[in-house]
């Protein structure tokens, strides 16, 4: 009540252009509404173009809503996305789905192309489990192709599998993959030079803007053509476009094998961008997130080569918490990365529209979250990691109320 009456006297911040709002599933969908109601709508004249990517609606629309949401991001330039369920057999049964819908993130990434940057939110009270890390490690994950756009086949009897490349002019190249003596599996994946080039450019631009070194790793000793192409494109882009700029920014570009990179990362002081191929980035970002603190503290932004941005939390829909919430429990689910998805999107909107008060609001919102945790008030996931021990462990609703009070200047 107090917060409401106070905000009555404040003029709401104007937004020039809407952002694309992509709603999602389960616990994150529940918190999404609370964040909007308590932390955004009282302060901003919030303008969004809304797409409901809840699993039921994706099924009802034969997934057209997912494609439409990506098209809307292309049009408006900035999107913010809630976590969504990637359907599997169990979900198909649970939601009575017509068919196994593809991963919405994979669909959106395929349409927007680009690179996903994942950065942990640093707070003083939460120390990384790797005690040499002094600054956050950012993952730059290529968001196109490889295993996420692969063709897979089950092999049910002995036979030969070949790669066949039929050129537009009709000529053909063939290569044996394997002679199967019995049943097995096979997979064909691809990538595109143009996509790898924009991945490389996005990483160099990010590293230069943040003034942090860029590491890149692949397995080119084993995959000489596929991973070898990634390595040579990065090198070419560095030599031709970014060498001088890196020098001017005082940062280094460093290439190494993925296994060597993993070993170095855990012995490093942090504070660099680690560019990873799509699958490596998927796995390593979860490793970095949990070693830095909690998956719930990992932010994520998709930067497309066409200059559009999609912000989200790195974590999923927090399924088990949702089932407990459905039974009436007020769970202690951490909303920090979801809030940062909104603040990131609003800050980008402000930058593109040149609206300083919106930019200031996004900063204040992030500061309110960090200050709250640094003051010892947090959700259960962080409580176990907090040093010194937390003063108060709150459920998500009470935690958001504390942040709202800080934003209103009431605490
Ligand atoms: P998850 O939702 O990220 O949750 C995994 C575990 O991490 C949770 O059980 C919880 O641990 C902890 N956790 C994650 N976020 C948290 C938060 N905000 N606050 C507190 N704890 C948090 O991953 P999942 O259970 O593997 O996947 C659930 C669904 O999310 C799946 O259907 C999957 O397809 C989807 N998913 C979506 C995205 C996306 O849209 N970007 C990404 C990943 C997964 P405790 O149970 O120990 O508390
Ligand atoms: Mg993952």
């Amino acid at each position: 009540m107090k917060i409401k009456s106070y905000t009555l006297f404040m003029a709401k911040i104007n937004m020039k252009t809407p952002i694309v709002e992509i709603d999602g599933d389960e616990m994150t969908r529940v918190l999404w509404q609370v964040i909007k109601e308590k932390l955004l709508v009282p302060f901003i004249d919030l303008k969004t173009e809304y797409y409901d990517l809840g699993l039921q609606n994706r099924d009802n629309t034969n997934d057209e809503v997912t494609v439409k949401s990506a098209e809307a991001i292309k049009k408006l330039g900035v999107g913010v996305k809630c976590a969504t369920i990637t359907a599997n057999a169990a979900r198909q049964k649970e939601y009575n789905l017509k068919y196994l819908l593809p991963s919405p993130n994979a669909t959106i990434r395929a349409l927007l192309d680009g690179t996903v940057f994942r950065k942990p939110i640093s707070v003083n009270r939460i120390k990384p489990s790797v005690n040499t890390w002094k600054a956050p490690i950012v993952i730059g994950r290529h968001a196109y192709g490889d295993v996420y756009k692969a063709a897979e086949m089950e092999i049910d009897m002995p036979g030969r599998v070949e790669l066949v490349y039929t050129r537009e002019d009709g000529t053909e190249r063939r290569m044996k993959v394997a002679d199967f003596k019995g049943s097995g599996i096979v997979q064909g994946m691809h990538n595109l030079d143009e996509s790898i080039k924009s991945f490389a450019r996005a990483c160099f631009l990010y590293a230069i803007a943040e003034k942090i070194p860029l590491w890149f790793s692949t397995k080119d000793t084993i995959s000489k053509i596929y991973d070898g192409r990634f390595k040579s494109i990065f090198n070419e882009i560095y030599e031709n476009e970014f060498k001088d700029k890196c020098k001017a920014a005082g940062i280094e570009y460093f290439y190494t094998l993925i296994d060597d990179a993993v070993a170095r990362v855990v012995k490093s002081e942090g504070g660099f961008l680690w560019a990873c191929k799509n699958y490596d980035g998927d796995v390593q970002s979860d490793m970095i997130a949990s070693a830095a603190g909690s998956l719930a503290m990992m932010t994520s932004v998709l930067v497309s080569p066409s200059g559009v941005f999609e912000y989200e939390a790195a974590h999923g829909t927090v399924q088990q918490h949702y089932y407990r919430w459905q039974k009436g429990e007020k769970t202690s689910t951490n909303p920090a990365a979801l809030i940062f998805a909104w603040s990131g999107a609003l800050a980008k909107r402000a930058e593109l529209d040149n609206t300083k008060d919106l930019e200031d609001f996004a900063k204040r919102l992030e500061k309110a979250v960090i200050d709250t945790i640094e003051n010892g008030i947090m959700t259960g996931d962080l409580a176990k990691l907090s040093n010194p021990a937390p003063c108060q462990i709150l459920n998500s609703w009470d935690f958001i109320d504390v942040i709202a009070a800080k934003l209103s200047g009431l605490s």
Side-chain angles (χ1 to χ4, degrees):
M1 279 313 283
K2 231 173 153 189
I3 295 167
K4 269 195 185 144
S5 57
Y6 180 84
T7 49
L8 271 180
F9 299 107
M10 297 195 302
K12 284 195 189 183
I13 295 163
N14 246 317
M15 278 179 74
K16 265 194 202 163
T17 322
I19 58 175
V20 179
E21 176 188 351
I22 302 179
D23 211 342
D25 288 301
E26 301 193 312
M27 205 58 219
T28 45
R29 187 182 180 101
V30 174
L31 293 178
W32 195 255
Q33 288 309 320
V34 185
I35 291 167
K36 277 175 69 179
E37 184 200 329
K38 299 283 175 95
L39 302 178
L40 303 174
V41 172
F43 305 96
I44 312 171
D45 185 19
L46 191 65
K47 291 196 181 83
T48 71
E49 202 173 296
Y50 179 86
Y51 292 85
D52 181 3
L53 263 63
L55 188 52
Q56 208 65 67
N57 196 43
R58 277 182 275 144
D59 191 53
N60 293 345
T61 62
N62 297 325
D63 213 25
E64 261 176 37
V65 65
T66 307
V67 175
K68 283 192 176 143
S69 72
E71 298 298 340
I73 296 178
K74 279 188 185 166
K75 188 182 71 186
L76 291 175
V78 184
V80 59
K81 181 181 169 292
C82 182
T84 43
I85 293 170
T86 298
N88 57 19
R91 297 302 202 158
Q92 187 169 17
K93 207 166 155 210
E94 184 182 355
Y95 285 81
N96 198 16
L97 303 177
K98 286 184 281 205
Y99 66 107
L100 264 192
L101 293 151
S103 152
N105 283 336
T107 304
I108 294 171
R109 282 172 201 155
L111 288 166
L112 299 183
D113 196 349
T115 305
V116 178
F117 293 100
R118 291 204 166 146
K119 183 180 183 182
I121 304 164
S122 297
V123 285
N124 274 333
R125 256 187 141 88
I126 315 292
K127 305 275 181 294
S129 29
V130 178
N131 57 22
T132 54
W133 289 357
K134 296 199 176 107
I137 295 169
V138 184
I139 295 275
R141 171 183 170 190
H142 187 209
Y144 179 84
D146 298 355
V147 72
Y148 302 87
K149 248 194 155 356
E152 299 189 324
M153 202 191 277
E154 284 174 3
I155 303 299
D156 54 8
M157 61 168 78
R160 170 170 288 202
V161 173
E162 291 181 320
L163 276 181
V164 183
Y165 164 33
T166 314
R167 293 195 179 92
E168 258 186 2
D169 67 6
T171 56
E172 224 176 53
R173 280 178 66 191
R174 278 175 183 272
M175 183 187 266
K176 185 180 88 178
V177 176
D179 282 320
F180 282 82
K181 304 253 178 304
S183 59
I185 40 185
V186 66
Q187 181 184 68
M189 59 184 196
H190 80 283
N191 225 298
L192 305 170
D193 286 355
E194 276 315 306
S195 179
I196 303 169
K197 283 180 190 166
S198 44
F199 168 41
R201 289 192 183 105
C203 290
F204 280 109
L205 288 170
Y206 187 100
I208 290 166
E210 298 287 317
K211 293 206 170 12
I212 50 176
L214 171 60
W215 294 20
F216 180 45
S217 54
T218 72
K219 192 73 180 174
D220 69 289
T221 43
I222 301 297
S223 169
K224 291 188 185 357
I225 292 183
Y226 200 104
D227 282 20
R229 180 69 64 90
F230 275 83
K231 179 185 176 182
S232 62
I233 287 180
F234 260 72
N235 197 46
E236 196 182 294
I237 298 276
Y238 171 66
E239 289 291 338
N240 297 341
E241 299 175 31
F242 289 102
K243 200 172 184 174
D244 295 342
K245 291 179 184 133
C246 284
K247 213 171 169 192
I251 61 167
E252 187 196 19
Y253 168 58
F254 172 61
Y255 176 85
T256 188
L257 284 172
I258 178 80
D259 33 0
D260 180 50
V262 169
R264 284 171 190 261
V265 160
V266 288
K267 292 208 157 76
S268 75
E269 291 190 355
F272 53 87
L273 168 62
W274 182 11
C276 291
K277 288 177 60 204
N278 210 343
Y279 176 77
D280 296 340
D282 186 352
V283 177
Q284 297 303 341
S285 72
D286 280 0
M287 189 274 286
I288 297 286
S290 29
S294 160
L295 194 54
M297 297 292 278
M298 190 73 150
T299 65
S300 182
V301 55
L302 174 70
V303 180
S304 149
S306 59
V308 304
F309 300 81
E310 184 213 34
Y311 292 81
E312 62 170 346
H315 61 76
T317 59
V318 214
Q319 184 180 2
Q320 296 310 323
H321 291 213
Y322 179 63
Y323 295 148
R324 293 190 343 240
W325 176 81
Q326 281 183 316
K327 287 187 189 140
E329 185 187 330
K330 282 208 152 179
T331 59
S332 188
T333 315
N334 188 343
L338 283 174
I339 299 171
F340 271 63
W342 277 100
S343 60
L346 293 172
K348 182 51 78 179
R349 181 78 280 161
E351 184 194 318
L352 297 175
D353 290 353
N354 205 7
T355 43
K356 178 86 173 62
D357 46 355
L358 187 60
E359 185 190 323
D360 289 345
F361 173 78
K363 278 191 195 138
R364 280 203 295 130
L365 178 55
E366 292 186 357
K367 188 171 179 324
V369 174
I370 291 173
D371 286 353
T372 302
I373 300 171
E374 291 193 341
N375 289 342
I377 302 169
M378 59 193 77
T379 45
D381 57 316
L382 296 183
K384 295 164 250 171
L385 308 164
S386 176
N387 183 10
C391 310
Q392 269 182 291
I393 304 169
L394 299 182
N395 68 44
S396 311
W397 291 260
D398 293 344
F399 180 69
I400 289 171
D401 276 344
V402 175
I403 297 166
K406 257 196 200 317
L407 262 182
S408 306
L410 294 176
S411 74

